[in-house]
Amino acid sequence: MSSFGGNIQPFDTLKGDIEKPTGGGTKSEISFKSYKEFPNIGNAEKLYVATDENAIYRWDDEKNVYICVGRNYDNISAIQCTLN
């Protein structure tokens, strides 16, 4: 298992205009109706679920962005890849 560095606050202690997620989740997963409801700064040790698009995101501490790591295959129109 990877170890992540940085000062990560529990969801309950985040400040700002953030509502608690609806739909439940576990300690390593947080569900929101849309990715637009994700906190401004995520937690690299958690997965964020956007239920409206059936997509899973992770927070990238280095780039300060959410990266989609999983999506409902019915919503994928094309996949770009490079073969070596």
Side-chain angles (χ1 to χ4, degrees), residues 8-11 30 39 41-48 58-59 61 66:
I8 299 174
Q9 296 176 316
F11 184 81
I30 302 174
I41 298 173
N43 180 331
E45 295 181 358
K46 300 207 179 282
L47 294 176
Y48 295 82
R58 71 171 179 82
W59 175 255
D61 275 336
Y66 288 97

Side-chain angles (χ1 to χ4, degrees), residues 12-32:
D12 291 340
T13 63
L14 292 175
K15 295 185 175 26
D17 190 19
I18 299 172
E19 292 184 21
K20 284 198 173 199
T22 57
T26 64
K27 290 185 178 191
S28 62
E29 168 194 309
I30 302 174
S31 296
F32 292 86

Side-chain angles (χ1 to χ4, degrees), residues 5-77:
N7 185 11
I8 299 174
Q9 296 176 316
F11 184 81
D12 291 340
T13 63
L14 292 175
K15 295 185 175 26
D17 190 19
I18 299 172
E19 292 184 21
K20 284 198 173 199
T22 57
T26 64
K27 290 185 178 191
S28 62
E29 168 194 309
I30 302 174
S31 296
F32 292 86
K33 290 180 185 176
S34 168
Y35 76 91
K36 295 175 183 177
E37 296 179 357
F38 291 176
N40 290 337
I41 298 173
N43 180 331
E45 295 181 358
K46 300 207 179 282
L47 294 176
Y48 295 82
V49 179
T51 59
D52 65 337
E53 57 182 294
N54 292 324
I56 300 170
Y57 293 82
R58 71 171 179 82
W59 175 255
D60 186 314
D61 275 336
E62 291 179 16
K63 296 178 182 176
N64 290 323
V65 297
Y66 288 97
I67 297 174
C68 183
V69 295
R71 184 175 297 279
N72 182 340
Y73 69 87
D74 289 332
N75 295 337
I76 299 173
S77 59

